[in-house]
Amino acid sequence: LLGWYNAPPSQRIMDKAMEMKSKGLFRFLALSSHNRSLLPKLADQGIFDLFHVRYNAAHRGAETEVLPHFSSLPVERRPGIVTYTATRWGHLLAPKRMPQGYAAPSASDCYRFVLSNPAVDVCMCGPSDLSQITEALKALSLGPLSPDELDRMRMIGDHLHRHARKFV
């Protein structure tokens, strides 16, 4: 994983990565970036096997800038999409940050929101104990959110986005 690139990695890094891959030192080359407009351009080059994309109910730019591009690629050319920060560093779980009259979503709701997008292959999570692991796995058994649940998550995400002191 070439991490947090907001510009294409240098040719030196790419040459070394491709050399290592050709030697069988790793099977898949991934790139993580906050520069969403960069990812479709890099995908068109066919070098990367995976892209890591920040995506959650409060940070949905990937829905228009990245994910549709990947969904339209032929399966054999489509890189995998790994998302991270589904809970927006826990802010989507905080009752005090919710719009009036709304209960905070659970972590599994946040993971289900992300995984409800058909272009997303993997949703990273960082559980710190057994109860958080159980909550994360619950998302898999519950499956995609309903249209009403998706609307609720988007509304909460929009509220959080509007009222965040600093949106990272």
Side-chain angles (χ1 to χ4, degrees):
L1 171 63
L2 302 178
W4 205 359
Y5 276 85
N6 290 319
S10 71
Q11 192 59 50
R12 181 181 63 82
I13 288 174
M14 291 307 302
D15 290 345
K16 187 64 175 175
M18 297 312 291
E19 175 189 336
M20 292 171 67
K21 186 175 181 181
S22 71
K23 289 180 179 178
L25 296 174
F26 61 86
R27 290 177 54 197
F28 303 103
L29 181 59
L31 182 118
S32 178
S33 179
H34 286 257
N35 182 351
R36 293 185 301 261
S37 64
L38 174 65
L39 300 180
K41 294 172 190 168
L42 293 176
D44 289 340
Q45 295 175 5
I47 296 170
F48 292 97
D49 304 296
L50 301 160
F51 288 101
H52 284 227
V53 181
R54 177 176 54 182
Y55 177 50
N56 58 59
H59 197 268
R60 298 192 310 269
E63 288 180 350
T64 57
E65 298 174 46
V66 177
L67 301 177
H69 179 80
F70 294 116
S71 297
S72 66
L73 292 174
V75 172
E76 62 277 358
R77 287 190 41 234
R78 185 185 172 285
I81 300 298
V82 177
T83 61
Y84 56 91
T85 67
T87 66
R88 195 186 181 266
W89 306 280
H91 294 178
L92 284 164
L93 310 177
K96 68 180 183 176
R97 295 180 183 270
M98 294 301 109
Q100 187 172 0
Y102 282 82
S106 65
S108 63
D109 291 336
C110 295
Y111 302 137
R112 291 173 64 212
F113 173 82
V114 169
L115 292 169
S116 291
N117 189 305
V120 172
D121 298 303
V122 173
C123 176
M124 299 286 289
C125 64
S128 60
D129 59 32
L130 183 57
S131 67
Q132 289 182 5
I133 291 171
T134 302
E135 180 68 17
L137 292 173
K138 182 177 166 185
L140 298 177
S141 64
L142 292 173
L145 294 175
S146 71
D148 287 343
E149 292 170 315
L150 284 168
D151 288 345
R152 174 181 172 268
M153 289 296 293
R154 287 186 184 106
M155 195 279 308
I156 289 170
D158 289 345
H159 174 83
L160 182 60
H161 188 270
R162 279 191 309 274
H163 294 92
R165 284 189 207 117
K166 178 181 177 189
F167 195 73
V168 183

